[in-house]
Amino acid sequence: MNVRRYQAKNMQDAMRQVREQQGPDAVILSSRRVDGVLEVVAATEAPSEQAAPARPSASRSTRPAAVDSDLAAMRRELRDLRSLLAQQQVLSERDQWAVRHPLAAGIAERLVECGFDDGLARSLIGGLQEDQTHDEAWSRLRTRLAASVATVQPSVLERGGVLALVGPTGAGKTTTLSRLALHRIRRLGADSVTLVTLDRQRIGAHKQLQAFGQMAGVPVILLENERDLLSLANRSAPDHLILVDTEGRSARDAAERKLFAQIRHLVEIETWLVIPATHQAGVLRQVLKAFQSCEPSALVLTKIDESERLGEILSVLLEQHLGLVFQSDGQRIEEDFHKADTAHLTRLALGESIPRLQSRAENSPPSATIENPRFTPRDAAVLARCEPLPRLSTPRTPNPSAQMAPAPSAMTRDSLVLESVIPFRKSVHAAY
């Protein structure tokens, strides 16, 4: 510890002497005026070059342990004091800024309360003018925020091809797949889409798709691997839409396994990443980073109605380059599924009370809706308007020579529930 006393005309002169004698790391311990002269006491943790010569090592070994303990305690106090002074300086600067810009400071505080990142909040208020009213400034900020969230307009649902949904477990991939299939069915009919699942890990993972496929009259195929998907895509018409459901994976597993990497050069596959709005910002960042290996081209945001702080989600969306394509805010298959609406998301994130979006598949009559994902008999009657594809009954013992055959017309839909999932066999897909 090097403690020195300086006498100067003013504080500026004293600080100059301290820097010259003890360096920029010196800490001012006290200052007072004595007979018109400013007296300053400064200290550094390490001895300066002008300090007195160090004592011989022999004397150090005989120095009482209490002295070393006192020096260590004094060093800790100096470090704490320096940290406290730095914090006070930052707070003082922020308070001074808030006094000069009360409108911007109030809006920034409100954004942070809504879950937005502090740095993002300060960036968003950068263009506000103090002569604006609070409502004008808030409206301008809302518009700017909504325009900053990227969106995309997909073409795969119209032109056909292979579309795979990836994402963490419980994100809502299977439900989203059913919703996308219904969108396609409303426009082009049941024979324009095939549902595929690669999820063989989760027990009963295909049951939801199985029920939907049975009611909608579309085939649901359980594939063994990606090579089977390649074979199916090659046998399908160019304008046929193949929707692929994948198993949920943790961020670590997704980063280690590059899904569809073996067949991307052989067939064009578009991948969408399904993310739930219920994730915390840190977890969502991990998911986005981990699933980059799947090469997603768009995002689907689900479970908006279950999110407590949607501002956290929008903060993360603004940090990355993928655009939002669809969003969902409930369990109903059709009414709670919407094209990306950043203005609606922004209002929700800002805590503004607004009515829920009312969405329908394009060109569908008002009566043709699915209000219950459990598929009641009324839903079956609605979906019966779509002419079902021929069904294939699944034998207990695989038969490579089995051919596709239409289901008897006398059979009811309930009797076909167990036949809506078709294990992949090359002979089965010869007709696609």
Side-chain angles (χ1 to χ4, degrees):
M1 175 71 61
N2 180 23
V3 181
R4 308 195 71 175
R5 190 186 306 271
Y6 301 90
Q7 291 183 346
K9 299 178 181 180
N10 49 45
M11 181 58 72
Q12 183 178 3
D13 184 33
M15 292 298 295
R16 179 186 59 79
Q17 295 183 42
V18 171
R19 285 195 298 269
E20 291 178 353
Q21 297 294 327
Q22 295 180 279
D25 294 332
V27 176
I28 303 297
L29 298 180
S30 65
S31 63
R32 64 175 182 171
R33 285 198 172 272
V34 180
D35 297 332
V37 178
L38 181 63
E39 184 178 87
V40 174
V41 178
T44 56
E45 296 183 10
S48 63
E49 295 180 356
Q50 288 81 9
R55 297 180 180 179
S57 57
S59 61
R60 289 187 180 180
S61 60
T62 59
R63 185 172 51 185
V67 176
D68 294 338
S69 177
D70 292 342
L71 289 176
M74 186 175 296
R75 291 191 181 99
R76 288 193 298 270
E77 292 177 1
L78 288 174
R79 285 195 297 267
D80 295 342
L81 179 60
R82 184 182 301 169
S83 176
L84 179 61
L85 290 175
Q87 293 177 6
Q88 289 179 346
Q89 182 179 3
V90 172
L91 292 175
S92 177
E93 292 176 355
R94 180 171 298 183
D95 292 340
Q96 292 175 7
W97 176 84
V99 171
R100 294 193 302 268
H101 307 281
L103 176 63
I107 292 180
E109 182 179 358
R110 182 175 174 183
L111 288 174
V112 173
E113 292 177 353
C114 292
F116 288 91
D117 181 75
D118 182 68
L120 174 62
R122 296 180 68 86
S123 174
L124 289 172
I125 63 177
L128 299 181
Q129 301 176 1
E130 290 298 329
D131 57 351
Q132 295 176 325
T133 66
H134 183 275
D135 292 341
E136 291 175 345
W138 190 254
S139 177
R140 181 185 295 270
L141 179 139
R142 184 198 308 119
T143 302
R144 180 183 178 187
L145 181 59
S148 300
V149 181
T151 60
V152 294
Q153 298 294 330
S155 61
V156 64
L157 297 181
E158 305 299 331
R159 59 177 168 82
V162 181
L163 172 61
L165 300 184
V166 299
T169 303
K173 297 184 294 297
T174 305
T175 302
T176 301
L177 200 77
S178 301
R179 288 163 164 167
L180 295 175
L182 183 60
H183 174 88
R184 175 83 170 187
I185 292 171
R186 295 297 185 206
R187 294 183 58 84
L188 302 175
D191 58 347
S192 66
V193 60
T194 298
L195 303 182
V196 170
T197 177
L198 293 172
D199 189 356
R200 288 180 171 270
Q201 301 297 322
R202 186 163 51 95
I203 298 176
H206 61 273
K207 293 298 183 181
Q208 185 176 351
L209 276 184
Q210 177 180 347
F212 176 84
Q214 179 59 42
M215 294 300 177
V218 297
V220 180
I221 304 175
L222 185 61
L223 299 185
E224 291 284 351
N225 50 50
E226 297 176 5
R227 288 290 176 179
D228 290 344
L229 176 61
L230 174 63
S231 178
L232 174 62
N234 291 335
R235 296 170 188 271
S236 301
D239 59 346
H240 191 77
L241 179 63
I242 301 176
L243 296 174
V244 183
D245 190 18
T246 62
E247 61 183 90
R249 290 184 172 272
S250 65
R252 179 178 300 178
D253 292 340
E256 294 176 353
R257 179 187 175 188
K258 297 182 179 180
L259 197 62
F260 306 121
Q262 298 179 354
I263 62 174
R264 279 192 181 276
H265 64 289
L266 300 175
V267 63
E268 183 178 356
I269 299 179
E270 186 166 340
T271 306
W272 291 356
L273 175 58
V274 182
I275 55 176
T278 53
H279 276 2
Q280 295 179 345
V283 177
L284 188 56
R285 290 187 181 94
Q286 294 178 359
V287 169
L288 290 169
K289 182 178 180 181
F291 280 90
Q292 287 179 357
S293 60
C294 299
E295 302 182 18
S297 60
L299 297 175
V300 178
L301 183 62
T302 62
K303 303 184 180 182
I304 296 175
D305 57 315
E306 301 178 25
S307 176
E308 295 184 359
R309 289 166 61 90
L310 196 56
E312 290 188 20
I313 307 302
L314 290 192
S315 296
V316 177
L317 293 182
L318 291 171
E319 298 172 0
Q320 50 85 52
H321 67 281
L322 292 177
L324 192 63
V325 58
F326 283 102
Q327 63 193 58
S328 66
D329 54 7
Q331 296 298 319
R332 295 178 297 178
I333 292 293
E334 189 174 7
E335 287 86 344
D336 298 333
F337 190 61
H338 326 278
K339 290 184 178 180
D341 188 343
T342 58
H344 181 81
L345 284 177
T346 301
R347 288 182 176 273
L348 288 176
L350 295 176
E352 300 179 359
S353 177
I354 54 177
R356 294 179 64 183
L357 290 174
Q358 297 297 325
S359 173
R360 295 186 187 277
E362 296 182 28
N363 300 332
S364 62
S367 59
T369 61
I370 300 178
E371 298 180 355
N372 192 334
R374 297 181 182 274
F375 301 107
T376 63
R378 180 166 60 88
D379 301 325
V382 172
L383 286 173
R385 301 176 183 178
C386 301
E387 182 179 355
L389 289 179
R391 301 289 180 171
L392 179 72
S393 59
T394 305
R396 294 183 180 274
T397 303
N399 183 4
S401 62
Q403 299 295 327
M404 180 176 293
S409 57
M411 297 181 68
T412 63
R413 288 183 177 271
D414 291 338
S415 65
L416 295 176
V417 170
L418 297 180
E419 300 175 6
S420 61
V421 174
I422 306 173
F424 178 78
R425 294 192 301 275
K426 292 184 178 180
S427 60
V428 170
H429 301 289
Y432 283 92

